[in-house]
Amino acid sequence: MPVYSHTRLKTYQDCPRRFYYRYVARLWREEEPDQIATFLGSRVHDALEHLYVQLNRGITISVDELVGFFRDRWKSLWSPSIVIHEPGTTPAMYLAIGERCLKDYYRRQQPFDGARTIALERQICFRLDRQGKHQMLGFIDRLAKTEEGVWQIHDYKTNKYLPTQQDKDADPQLAYYEVGLRQMWPDAERVELVWHYLRFDTTIVSYRTPGQLEELRRSTVELIREIEAKSRDVKQFPPVESKLCDYCEYQDVCPVRKHLC
């Protein structure tokens, strides 16, 4: 049985046909060049990981050192093939956005004593049922624990849109990770799901009750069973047209988009 992820399940929910091409037919596509927004997010994540690695070594780097690390990573990994979709923007503008995100985060979190970092970019694999027939995989940007014993699952975003509290209270991604965390540390009492929207210098914290986690687990198992009950017939996976089609790698074979290619 395959191991699922939040991304894999969301692909199916957004467009079953794209799910079919990627995970059932395994239709190979040459790797697309990075988009500037993705490149920005990756480099900011690199810098924050470096910050907390140093903190775990007992070293508090300065904000200038943090930004310097970010600039060096940007320069060394930059490629002219990186795609900029938004008209009127330049790489320098995105570089400045990243620097501002890091400076704002550093200022807000200093002196970094709110919680002890347990892991960075932690891979987590967990079961959704007792038998382990249905399993999920994910990556936690930063896992931390406060002196009061509160576990924190942190996620860092450089999105240009700020969601609402209601949006994040309904977001399953970090809640999936809480299911896994509680399997690894059954004595965990309180868990905070923490999203840092760095462009807006805003943190959104959400919580899940045991009942909500159980409902998420149950509904996810049902979704996986729905997927696995389908045959390999492409007709079992209808296309869903949306704004996401513009970024789909299968437009040339999709019946609702191939006439545009």
Side-chain angles (χ1 to χ4, degrees):
M1 289 292 180
V3 176
Y4 286 80
S5 66
H6 171 68
T7 299
R8 188 168 183 150
L9 293 175
K10 192 171 188 308
T11 299
Y12 177 79
Q13 292 171 315
D14 289 339
C15 179
R17 181 60 60 90
R18 188 181 191 188
F19 178 93
Y20 172 85
Y21 291 141
R22 180 180 292 180
Y23 299 110
V24 181
R26 298 187 181 277
L27 186 60
W28 182 83
R29 282 290 181 268
E30 185 174 353
E31 188 172 345
E32 294 289 328
D34 269 347
Q35 298 180 31
I36 188 69
T38 304
F39 184 79
L40 168 66
S42 297
R43 302 294 74 79
V44 168
H45 274 77
D46 290 346
L48 291 175
E49 182 179 4
H50 176 67
L51 169 67
Y52 282 103
V53 165
Q54 296 305 310
L55 286 168
N56 276 355
R57 293 172 176 168
I59 302 169
T60 303
I61 64 174
S62 69
V63 65
D64 289 339
E65 290 173 314
L66 178 64
V67 171
F69 179 90
F70 169 72
R71 289 174 180 162
D72 289 343
R73 289 287 288 175
W74 183 287
K75 182 178 179 180
S76 65
L77 296 174
W78 176 261
S79 167
S81 67
I82 292 173
V83 177
I84 303 177
H85 285 295
E86 194 170 351
T89 59
T90 66
M93 293 169 66
Y94 282 93
L95 178 65
I97 289 170
E99 292 178 3
R100 175 171 54 80
C101 287
L102 292 170
K103 289 176 181 178
D104 287 344
Y105 181 85
Y106 191 101
R107 172 186 52 79
R108 180 178 289 275
Q109 299 298 323
Q110 195 178 22
F112 309 103
D113 57 358
R116 181 186 298 273
T117 297
I118 304 298
L120 296 165
E121 300 298 330
R122 170 67 182 264
Q123 177 178 299
I124 181 171
C125 188
F126 55 95
R127 64 188 185 278
L128 293 169
D129 61 305
R130 291 182 179 178
Q131 296 75 28
K133 182 178 179 180
H134 305 296
Q135 297 189 25
M136 287 197 70
L137 175 72
F139 291 86
I140 299 175
D141 288 348
R142 177 174 169 247
L143 181 63
K145 189 177 182 182
T146 70
E147 289 186 0
E148 296 75 25
V150 178
W151 289 82
Q152 297 175 335
I153 299 173
H154 293 265
D155 195 58
Y156 298 98
K157 303 290 189 185
T158 53
N159 305 34
K160 63 178 182 179
Y161 299 110
L162 179 66
T164 65
Q165 180 71 53
Q166 185 177 13
D167 291 332
K168 303 322 288 180
D169 287 342
D171 189 328
Q173 183 176 7
L174 298 194
Y176 284 136
Y177 301 163
E178 181 177 350
V179 172
L181 183 153
R182 290 184 178 279
Q183 288 180 16
M184 292 187 292
W185 290 282
D187 61 340
E189 295 184 4
R190 187 173 177 83
V191 177
E192 296 179 343
L193 311 180
V194 188
W195 286 268
H196 301 273
Y197 282 86
L198 301 170
R199 287 204 196 196
F200 304 94
D201 193 20
T202 297
T203 298
I204 301 177
V205 182
S206 184
Y207 305 91
R208 297 295 186 273
T209 66
Q212 288 173 320
L213 291 176
E214 174 58 23
E215 173 58 25
L216 176 64
R217 186 202 63 77
R218 184 196 61 78
S219 63
T220 303
V221 169
E222 287 184 359
L223 180 60
I224 292 173
R225 287 174 177 167
E226 174 188 321
I227 294 170
E228 295 181 346
K230 295 179 181 291
S231 69
R232 294 181 61 87
D233 185 353
V234 67
K235 295 178 181 178
Q236 294 280 312
F237 300 85
V240 175
E241 194 167 13
S242 73
K243 63 182 181 181
L244 297 175
C245 294
D246 292 339
Y247 305 98
C248 181
E249 64 272 40
Y250 301 109
Q251 294 183 59
D252 62 320
V253 293
C254 179
V256 300
R257 299 288 287 195
K258 62 182 181 181
H259 65 283
L260 301 174
C261 297

